[in-house]
Amino acid sequence: MTERLPPTPDAIAHAADLLRRGELVAFGTETVYGLGADATNADAVARVFAAKGRPHFNPLIAHYPSAEAAFADVAPSDAARILAAAFWPGPLTMVLPRRAECPVALITGAGLDTLAVRVPSHADAHALLTATGRAVAAPSANRSGRVSPTTAEHVLDGLDGRIAAIIDSGACPVGVESTVIDLSGPHPVLLRPGGITLEALEAAIGPVRRGAPIADESKPLLAPGMMASHYAPNLPVRLNAVSVAADEALLSFGPKLPGAGAEFVLSASGDLVEAAARLFDGLRSFDAIAGLRGIAVMPIPLEGLGLAINDRLSRAAAPRDDSKTIFC
Ligand code: TXA
Ligand code: MG
């Protein structure tokens, strides 16, 4: 059963407690309802993808109570500081480079070197984020392929029984998602139009390029190579491995194959949520090890979160034109 909570201080403290314990809590913001999880807890974030039924690991937005808290996790450019002063708290999301010490789990940003950060203006969201004391990952609280919810009823239509609680803040005042701007590259790029207009952004920081539309969350975020910050492991990836060589690394799922030169356990018990939570750490874990010629990945079932895991792995395994080719 999903608990339906009023936006009172006691209920918000309870919701924050649920988040800190790794549970999923939907909450109202000024734009749309978000499906929240502790962004530093990879397992909780993996369950967000499972609850939404997302077939791909699209990166999620990390929500903070203040610009100061957000900029402790990502490195702001000058333009980012200007936009934060002008539009935060409010319906603007900025994509910025993660700091080395950023505690947000890699799965929150789908393994990217960047992280989308936002400081909502809604009083209930602000109270929840303050009480939680950690970054909260929150995609729109709809099942994948459905429109974003702007009332608690919309959320419960799709997610009742799949999440621990919802804070009912009534109807969302803005009703469209936040504007997403990528400030991690040499030029600001608008990734999603939303609550803050392009004109308002350009008045503050000058010209903003239009990026590829990313409105449809049921599709992968970007085609291979569209984003410079995208991460692919240094080593070639081989899928559905039934044996492994001594100069290969093994990403194991279930009882592991013998004989690998290095290994990372995605899930010893064959649990897809655990494997999803560990996937991006696993892909990075072999970069620093010398003498390996590739990564062998054991078969992962094509069901539930296995769809998203296999989608991400097949991108990592796709042939590369040259060493600079990048994959999402
Ligand atoms: O208004 C909103 O932004 C709502 C509320 C809950 O805050 N959230 C929301 O989240 O709409 P979601 O996950 O439905 O949409 C986030 C968008 C996605 O299209 C995602 O691809 C993009 O932001 N995004 C997130 N992180 C990114 C990154 N590091 N680089 C590029 N795009 C990113
Ligand atoms: Mg969405």
Side-chain angles (χ1 to χ4, degrees), residues 159-300:
L159 295 173
D160 199 5
R162 299 174 76 91
I163 60 178
I166 178 168
I167 298 173
D168 186 347
S169 295
C172 301
V174 176
V176 296
E177 294 95 337
S178 63
T179 301
V180 181
I181 186 168
D182 184 354
L183 296 167
S184 66
H187 309 282
V189 179
L190 180 75
L191 296 181
R192 179 175 74 182
I196 301 290
T197 65
L198 183 61
E199 290 77 10
L201 295 175
E202 293 194 320
I205 58 167
V208 174
R209 298 186 179 187
R210 282 75 169 156
I214 55 167
D216 186 352
E217 65 178 40
S218 65
K219 304 247 167 54
L221 172 62
L222 294 164
M226 279 182 63
M227 188 187 247
S229 60
H230 270 197
Y231 170 80
N234 293 338
L235 294 168
V237 175
R238 181 165 75 81
L239 301 180
N240 297 316
V242 291
S243 65
V244 62
D247 58 356
E248 282 184 308
L250 179 70
L251 273 184
S252 70
F253 184 82
K256 63 191 175 207
L257 297 167
E263 61 190 34
F264 184 97
V265 178
L266 289 177
S267 171
S269 64
D271 180 320
L272 287 167
V273 173
E274 184 185 23
R278 293 173 58 77
L279 176 65
F280 295 103
D281 294 301
L283 283 172
R284 283 176 189 251
S285 67
F286 306 120
D287 280 354
I289 303 177
L292 298 170
R293 71 173 156 90
I295 302 173
V297 187
M298 290 174 64
I300 294 171

Side-chain angles (χ1 to χ4, degrees), residues 52 54 140 142 148 177 192 217:
K52 283 185 65 92
R54 270 196 183 180
S140 48
N142 51 287
S148 296
E177 294 95 337
R192 179 175 74 182
E217 65 178 40

